[in-house]
Amino acid sequence: MGKKARRERVEKRETFAAKRSKAKRKNLLIAAGAMAAVGAIVAYAAISFVSTAGNLPGAPPGAGPLGGEHEHASILTLIHGDRFGYSAQPYQVQDNWIHFENQDGTTIHRHAANVTLGYLFDTLDVELNDECYVFPDNAREFCTNDEYSLKFYVNGEKVPGISEYVVEDGDRILISYGGEDDDEIAEQLARLGDQPILS
């Protein structure tokens, strides 16, 4: 085998190796570009999903973006003077928009604008309207009648109902059912005022 044939073989090998190396680089660049595009699409979809205001399936009507706000309020529910707390598991973090958490049954956490207390109670399967408070098992209901009444107070002021109320940071809400007089209501409001608001 002559020098010329050997040189041609070496050149062919080098040309083949160069072509192969060039093809590998090209494929790697294409793969990297495709991965970057997929990453950008996933990031855009995640941001759009989190920031979509109220248009997500299961989102509260008219709610702002999830995570757009983080407000805390204290609630005290008294039935014939006995405290009902929302610390049991069936009442803990039933929804991301508004909930109770960490086995605390007195602090409401609201994570988006325009999420009402009515929506919170719906997520807990508690029926609450201006006249009745009905537990999830439907075995216990407390409705205004000739003897007892369902009363609502927000920051010490009596209100006709709280279903459409959107809690603000530091609010204190009292739900009271029974035949209490003004002095007893004042005691309940003082009790509510002593409750810590956890963040």
Side-chain angles (χ1 to χ4, degrees), residues 83-167:
R83 180 174 150 317
F84 178 77
Y86 303 94
S87 58
Q89 188 55 44
Y91 305 107
Q92 294 287 302
V93 191
Q94 297 302 311
D95 190 86
N96 289 327
W97 303 85
I98 188 169
H99 56 253
F100 296 98
E101 64 186 28
N102 297 325
Q103 285 72 49
D104 170 49
T106 61
T107 301
I108 299 167
H109 299 256
R110 180 173 61 80
H111 295 278
N114 305 320
V115 183
T116 65
L117 284 174
Y119 181 81
L120 169 66
F121 285 101
D122 286 347
T123 68
L124 304 177
D125 291 328
V126 172
E127 183 184 327
L128 178 68
N129 58 47
D130 301 348
E131 298 290 317
C132 291
Y133 185 98
V134 182
F135 284 93
D137 57 13
N138 289 324
R140 298 173 291 166
E141 64 176 50
F142 301 92
C143 297
T144 297
N145 57 40
D146 293 340
E147 201 173 348
Y148 304 113
S149 64
L150 184 61
K151 298 166 285 301
F152 305 98
Y153 292 82
V154 175
N155 299 323
E157 299 294 319
K158 189 172 185 177
V159 293
I162 58 170
S163 293
E164 298 303 314
Y165 188 73
V166 176
V167 297

Side-chain angles (χ1 to χ4, degrees), residues 2 12 39 63 65 72 109 121 131 139 141 143 175 184 187 189:
K12 279 185 182 179
H72 302 95
H109 299 256
F121 285 101
E131 298 290 317
E141 64 176 50
C143 297
I175 300 172
E184 290 168 317
E187 288 174 15
L189 289 170

